[in-house]
Amino acid sequence: MKKLNSIIAAFLIMVWMPTMGQTQKGSVLIKNATVLTVTQGTLEDTDVLVENGIIKKIGKGLSANNVTIIDAKGKYVMPGIIDAHSHVALDAVNEATAPITSEVQMADVVDPYDIGLYRSLAGGVTISHAMHGSANAIGGQNITLKHRYGTFNPEDLFMKDAPRTIKFALGENPTRVHGRGKNIQPRTRMGVEAVIRNGFNEALQYKKVWETYNNALKQKDATPIPPKYDERLQTLVDILDGKVIIHCHSYRADEIYALINTCRDFGITNIVFSHVNEGFKVAPELAEYTMGASVFADWWAYKFEVYYSTAYNAAILTENNVITSINSDSGELIRHLYHEAAKTQRYGQLSDDQALALITINPAKQLGIADKVGSIEEGKQADLVIFEGHPLSVYAIPQMTFVDGVKYFDINDDQDDMRLRVSANETVEPIFLKEHDHNCMHGVDFFFNNFGRSLFQHSH
Amino acid sequence: MKKFKSIIYLMALLLFPMIAQAQFDGEFIKPRNGKFLLQNATLVTVTKGTIQNGSVLIANGKIEAVGQSIPAGDAEVIDCTGQFIYPGMFDGGSRLGLVEVNSLPETQDFAEIGQVTPNMRALVAVNPNSVAIPVTRVSGVTTTLATPSGGLFPGTAALINLNGYTADQMSAGFEGVILNFPTSARRSTWDRRSEEDVKRDADRAQKNLNDIWERATKYHEMKTAKAELQFYPEMDQLAKVIAGELPLLVEVNAAGDIEVAIKWIKEKGVKAILTGVAEGWRVADKIAESGLPVITGPMLSIPTRQSDRFDAAYTNPGKMAKAGVKVVIRSNDAENTRNLPFNAGFAAAYGMGKEEALKAVTINAAEVFGVADRMGSIEAGKDATLFVSSGDPFETKTQIAHVFIDGYRVPMSNRHIKLYQEFLERSPGLEK
């Protein structure tokens, strides 16, 4: 009997093992939709066949066996929306203890229970770039998430084939936290530039020390002493080696230009500027030297460094050939990025394809995942949204959202309570009249903003 | 020689005005009033249906005539073929003009020190030259309720039109005292009080409110009896509410609080408007039964409870309107008050319907603020506060062509547009 038990146990382990680290993949056939491919135009009355999480075929009159068929006649299908700047599903956002904290990993603090994931799925968002906050000139390493809501395992949310990225931050936030908050550099934009430049130079020295050591090892009978390993500096070395994409919180044209110059001096080309409210003022430079700008549609005047900005930012950047995306940096905004993208038609009259690219293929390019997601193309991962009404219309309503061909949101099967976990000692559910999580200065802001005076404002 | 000298002198004199006058490029476009005929538009009057090929005659700040064939006379004709005319939109609650840069205390004029400051009047602190005002009005939002916030009675809100250089030029005539009704909810996700503390604080705040109200009632009674009273500006302002001269704008959001507030309002017999009302959908029938109007928003906000449906805030105004509540929409924003029509669009999409949502930002607002005789629809005799658009103003891509406020044609320009003009094709570009 004991032997039988252990055989069963061994069998169960064998069955269970291969499923470890495997996320669910689905198959589905969406029929008769208006397909907004983003990269290959709009296809009327078209079917999309998804097999095992991948877009297998796009065409008319497709059929498949043993696959769920969805009739999307009169509806629109677009690629899953991608948010290049988010803090949804993070337990912590800022490690505000030093101007450089490149050793920190957001992958360590992913919270799969966050209802924000489901709410963003209900707004058609399938991928978010979960970022460190903006307290430090060089912050932590970010993690790109696929919104596979329902899992209790944070790793199931990771988009494992996405490249590494890291958060940088310029301007008011790092100077406020470190300069004014702790009386250490940086207190000015001069200091921010110097902190980053010094960091890269130190990383070069560190790289050289290791190279010397590794070369010494190759000598016969060599017994060199290994240098001390430093995760912080090694990460900066990886940036210099082009292995990590920088996503830099920034607002003013001068600080953006200064970092472009720093990057050029160190041969760094993998850089995306985020928020970048004054990006339009240095659009030609952003187009020439960077992976583009990820902006807000219309936010301004919530702090001084965004006072001289314009809602036409995204349109100006787009028309100047800057790779441009629209991000949320907010647990609220992430739910209607399709509407935020549409604002570029109010402010700058972008075309439908230009506007849709802002929340699909362009953020995919900025995250280094454009070969896998961001458009409806055969061979790409099946992250799809079905809309009632054109997604750029204010009256559009997302109906279903798929990640890897698996349906995670269906408006006709939407339970009132979609929480994965309810506290056992909660007798009455708390009512929150304002949400302050999910933004760049989460975790540090309260100590710097007049204790409630500015609580009702954006703090990014 | 002398003659020659005087000729030179004369020439120099002639040159002088040219030298003395600085040379400016470009022309500043000012708001301008006059007689205008807006021709051949689809008129969405809100109260009297839709008129095809309609015209609106504007003179002396008023809509002089509405119809299908109005002679131009000496009016400036603006062809609106293929375009639409709507009444100016109201935002039922905004800090526009009361703050310039949100994070800078020097520019925050919406929250005074103290819990009981009903005598703080928003109208006197509105900055007519706020950069955000022209940014807002080109969206067709012409009228906002400038709203103080903060303590229990943070101040007196004022309805303003977004054109003019003084408080009096901007005033649209309505004022109301704000009461932040004591709440049993958490103030925000920052609020880490225990459940017991939340409850105890709410009870205390309720008792405190009743004490203050009793004092104000006494003050009013004594004043009515012509008693000689010590100067007490806070009570003086509350007495106006008790006398029915000013309505009370009761900010209340959690469902339980809304019910308590309705009971309190009935008990005190005060003329009131409910504002916020984020969980109104939970008690929509009770609000409808009370007959109290509601100013709610923004729709573009997260649900108040984690267990709520994702669209709780989108569907809230529609559910209240269906129950029979008179609903007005607000942005509760400042610099992005221009998003009011998009909030209305979401409300419309999620159950309210376009027609009702349009009323919620026009005639309903005018009625709730007691200015419907002058504003809120396209009708002859009303103020010429309206706009011309390429289509439905809630639809994101719609372009607004002209805006008129009190008969003034306001420039379709602002800092956002000027930056667009300057930087779309920057000079010098990449190379100098």
Side-chain angles (χ1 to χ4, degrees):
Chain A
M1 189 63 202
K2 208 172 173 186
K3 201 175 175 185
L4 185 71
N5 266 350
S6 53
I7 288 170
I8 290 175
F11 177 75
L12 284 176
I13 285 167
M14 273 166 62
V15 172
W16 178 69
M17 281 291 280
T19 63
M20 262 181 71
Q22 288 271 325
T23 52
Q24 214 189 329
K25 307 267 191 282
S27 300
V28 65
L29 176 59
I30 301 168
K31 299 277 293 176
N32 310 317
T34 301
V35 180
L36 305 163
T37 68
V38 177
T39 48
Q40 295 167 347
T42 298
L43 310 171
E44 301 291 344
D45 204 17
T46 295
D47 307 340
V48 179
L49 175 63
V50 173
E51 272 182 25
N52 204 21
I54 301 292
I55 299 169
K56 183 87 177 175
K57 200 149 180 50
I58 303 162
K60 289 185 198 285
L62 301 183
S63 60
N65 296 325
N66 303 324
V67 161
T68 311
I69 295 172
I70 295 164
D71 184 19
K73 195 163 181 52
K75 297 191 171 70
Y76 294 83
V77 180
M78 73 171 282
I81 294 168
I82 300 172
D83 186 357
H85 189 135
S86 162
H87 304 286
V88 163
L90 291 177
D91 258 349
V93 172
N94 272 296
E95 176 60 43
T97 49
I100 300 181
T101 57
S102 41
E103 70 278 19
V104 167
Q105 303 266 3
M106 302 320 284
D108 295 336
V109 290
V110 171
D111 169 18
Y113 298 99
D114 191 344
I115 191 73
L117 284 167
Y118 182 74
R119 288 174 179 164
S120 66
L121 282 162
V125 179
T126 53
I127 291 176
S128 65
H129 186 215
M131 297 181 81
H132 187 269
S134 54
N136 312 333
I138 300 182
Q141 297 176 58
N142 314 308
I143 180 82
T144 302
L145 302 178
K146 277 208 153 191
H147 291 187
R148 302 180 183 110
Y149 186 68
T151 180
F152 301 152
N153 179 2
E155 282 196 37
D156 287 347
L157 297 174
F158 297 175
M159 184 172 180
K160 289 190 173 137
D161 40 4
R164 291 165 66 197
T165 65
I166 189 165
K167 176 75 172 270
F168 277 37
L170 311 177
E172 288 182 19
N173 289 3
T175 56
R176 183 173 66 196
V177 171
H178 297 287
R180 281 187 282 146
K182 304 194 183 97
N183 208 30
I184 57 169
Q185 286 179 0
R187 190 158 63 186
T188 64
R189 286 180 172 81
M190 297 186 285
V192 174
E193 196 261 8
V195 162
I196 294 171
R197 200 173 272 275
N198 294 347
F200 285 148
N201 275 317
E202 220 179 306
L204 283 177
Q205 285 186 353
Y206 177 79
K207 187 181 177 183
K208 200 172 164 198
V209 169
W210 273 94
E211 275 169 1
T212 308
Y213 167 72
N214 285 325
N215 285 335
L217 269 184
K218 288 175 196 156
Q219 305 297 318
K220 207 174 168 232
D221 299 329
T223 54
I225 300 166
K228 187 181 163 197
Y229 180 73
D230 187 320
E231 177 84 26
R232 183 177 291 184
L233 289 173
Q234 184 56 50
T235 306
L236 298 186
V237 171
D238 293 345
I239 296 170
L240 293 167
D241 289 346
K243 294 177 188 161
V244 187
I245 304 170
I246 300 169
H247 277 246
C248 184
H249 164 113
S250 55
Y251 287 112
R252 244 169 54 181
D254 47 47
E255 67 191 20
I256 296 161
Y257 186 68
L259 186 59
I260 287 176
N261 276 344
T262 303
C263 286
R264 290 180 73 197
D265 289 347
F266 287 90
I268 297 167
T269 52
N270 287 343
I271 178 160
V272 177
F273 285 87
S274 204
H275 303 333
V276 56
N277 272 49
E278 287 195 5
F280 67 95
K281 294 179 181 173
V282 285
E285 287 77 12
L286 284 167
E288 183 75 13
Y289 303 117
T290 75
M291 289 169 67
S294 186
V295 306
F296 293 124
D298 60 2
W299 286 10
W300 70 294
Y302 46 94
K303 53 157 90 176
F304 190 68
E305 61 188 345
V306 292
Y307 188 50
Y308 295 92
S309 62
T310 173
Y312 293 83
N313 192 20
I316 297 172
L317 291 166
T318 300
E319 300 292 1
N320 278 274
N321 301 316
V322 178
I323 299 168
T324 307
S325 66
I326 286 187
N327 67 56
S328 79
D329 191 11
S330 150
E332 196 285 306
L333 215 75
I334 194 172
R335 308 172 316 143
H336 46 82
L337 280 168
Y338 53 97
H339 171 56
E340 300 305 308
K343 286 176 181 174
T344 60
Q345 302 195 311
R346 168 75 56 111
Y347 309 116
Q349 294 179 277
L350 292 190
S351 70
D352 286 359
D353 276 344
Q354 282 176 318
L356 288 172
L358 298 170
I359 50 170
T360 54
I361 192 67
N362 289 0
K365 286 176 187 168
Q366 294 171 337
L367 296 173
I369 52 178
D371 55 333
K372 301 171 185 76
V373 290
S375 62
I376 301 183
E377 291 178 57
E378 288 172 6
K380 279 199 169 182
Q381 296 171 11
D383 296 357
L384 302 165
V385 198
I386 302 178
F387 271 87
E388 180 78 55
H390 193 287
L392 295 172
S393 165
V394 78
Y395 305 113
I397 299 181
Q399 303 292 307
M400 292 180 193
T401 307
F402 298 84
V403 180
D404 301 324
V406 179
K407 190 170 69 182
Y408 288 92
F409 168 73
D410 185 341
I411 199 164
N412 295 314
D413 186 26
D414 176 61
Q415 309 299 314
D416 273 0
D417 189 352
M418 288 303 297
R419 289 176 297 172
L420 297 177
R421 179 174 64 179
V422 180
S423 168
N425 55 23
E426 176 185 296
T427 53
V428 181
E429 194 196 345
I431 302 165
F432 297 110
L433 299 179
K434 295 281 168 191
E435 188 221 34
H436 299 287
D437 288 336
H438 302 143
N439 71 52
C440 254
M441 290 302 278
H442 178 54
V444 289
D445 221 13
F446 197 65
F447 305 103
F448 296 97
N449 73 358
N450 266 350
F451 284 88
R453 235 341 179 37
S454 331
L455 263 182
F456 298 100
Q457 274 78 58
H458 305 305
S459 46
H460 302 273
Chain B
M1 191 64 201
K2 208 174 170 186
K3 203 175 173 185
F4 182 64
K5 258 190 180 167
S6 54
I7 285 169
I8 288 183
Y9 190 59
L10 202 74
M11 280 172 74
L13 261 182
L14 279 169
L15 275 170
F16 187 71
M18 283 168 71
I19 296 160
Q21 197 170 34
Q23 181 64 51
F24 295 134
D25 288 339
E27 191 191 339
F28 187 83
I29 299 165
K30 296 174 185 175
R32 146 175 98 81
N33 68 348
K35 209 167 172 184
F36 301 96
L37 181 66
L38 312 181
Q39 260 180 349
N40 293 326
T42 302
L43 306 183
V44 183
T45 67
V46 178
T47 46
K48 311 248 156 149
T50 299
I51 302 168
Q52 302 296 332
N53 294 320
S55 299
V56 175
L57 182 65
I58 297 171
N60 304 314
K62 298 282 178 192
I63 298 172
E64 272 214 344
V66 178
Q68 278 182 322
S69 48
I70 300 167
D74 55 349
E76 185 179 329
V77 176
I78 300 172
D79 180 40
C80 301
T81 306
Q83 293 181 306
F84 296 75
I85 300 180
Y86 288 87
M89 290 183 279
F90 287 68
D91 187 328
S94 167
R95 288 183 309 280
L96 180 62
L98 295 174
V99 59
E100 195 66 20
V101 177
N102 278 315
S103 68
L104 299 182
E106 296 87 341
T107 75
Q108 298 167 349
D109 288 312
F110 53 83
E112 249 311 328
I113 291 172
Q115 284 297 307
V116 184
T117 58
N119 51 321
M120 298 301 153
R121 291 177 65 209
L123 189 60
V124 301
V126 167
N127 175 8
N129 304 299
S130 168
V131 169
I133 287 176
V135 168
T136 303
R137 68 189 178 198
V138 298
S139 67
V141 177
T142 56
T143 310
T144 65
L145 187 71
T147 309
S149 52
L152 184 64
F153 287 100
T156 299
L159 193 68
I160 54 169
N161 283 319
L162 302 183
N163 185 43
Y165 290 101
T166 65
D168 291 328
Q169 288 181 355
M170 294 181 79
S171 173
F174 168 87
E175 283 191 306
V177 172
I178 296 169
L179 163 61
N180 281 320
F181 201 79
T183 180
S184 58
R186 287 175 196 281
R187 285 183 290 264
S188 78
T189 38
W190 292 112
D191 187 345
R192 302 282 191 239
R193 288 175 299 165
S194 70
E195 276 176 32
E196 294 74 40
D197 283 351
V198 170
K199 172 105 185 43
R200 200 194 52 218
D201 290 352
D203 290 346
R204 257 188 216 159
Q206 189 62 52
K207 188 179 174 302
N208 180 40
L209 167 62
N210 287 334
D211 290 349
I212 291 163
W213 200 259
E214 202 182 313
R215 210 182 310 171
T217 310
K218 285 265 155 59
Y219 184 94
H220 170 67
E221 281 167 7
M222 289 161 78
K223 199 178 160 190
T224 323
K226 306 241 182 313
E228 207 168 293
L229 292 167
Q230 260 187 345
F231 183 57
Y232 202 159
E234 290 84 1
M235 289 303 146
D236 211 60
Q237 190 76 344
L238 290 182
K240 287 179 195 162
V241 177
I242 292 163
E245 293 165 29
L246 288 173
L248 199 60
L249 296 153
V250 182
E251 176 75 17
V252 60
N253 285 290
D257 297 341
I258 295 169
E259 292 188 67
V260 178
I262 290 172
K263 212 184 271 174
W264 187 89
I265 289 162
K266 296 289 157 195
E267 215 174 273
K268 307 299 177 197
V270 61
K271 189 183 167 208
I273 301 160
L274 299 177
T275 69
V277 206
E279 294 196 344
W281 59 277
R282 287 198 148 89
V283 288
D285 288 339
K286 287 184 176 132
I287 300 171
E289 199 187 306
S290 76
L292 293 166
V294 160
I295 299 172
T296 189
M299 278 77 254
L300 296 175
S301 60
I302 60 157
T304 49
R305 305 182 194 189
Q306 299 232 316
S307 62
D308 282 343
R309 272 177 65 102
F310 71 95
D311 60 1
Y314 302 159
T315 54
N316 187 34
K319 285 178 178 169
M320 287 194 281
K322 283 226 163 69
V325 179
K326 178 167 284 185
V327 175
V328 174
I329 291 173
R330 73 175 185 187
S331 71
N332 207 28
D333 208 304
E335 72 280 2
N336 272 342
T337 295
R338 59 184 168 185
N339 283 339
L340 175 86
F342 303 144
N343 278 280
F346 268 72
Y350 283 86
M352 195 179 208
K354 292 182 195 183
E355 201 175 317
E356 199 57 39
L358 182 61
K359 281 188 190 163
V361 294
T362 54
I363 192 67
N364 283 7
E367 284 171 3
V368 168
F369 296 133
V371 295
D373 57 327
R374 293 187 284 113
M375 304 173 76
S377 63
I378 307 278
E379 290 179 68
K382 285 198 174 184
D383 295 347
T385 299
L386 50 85
F387 64 93
V388 181
S389 65
S390 66
D392 173 0
F394 300 162
E395 192 54 277
T396 326
K397 68 179 171 203
T398 296
Q399 300 292 308
I400 312 298
H402 310 286
V403 176
F404 290 83
I405 300 175
D406 283 332
Y408 277 78
R409 183 179 180 175
V410 301
M412 295 306 288
S413 182
N414 57 46
R415 196 157 77 199
H416 286 233
I417 292 169
K418 283 177 184 158
L419 287 169
Y420 178 60
Q421 292 169 322
E422 182 177 358
F423 286 101
L424 183 61
E425 291 172 59
R426 199 185 73 185
S427 172
L430 188 64
E431 305 295 340
K432 192 180 168 190

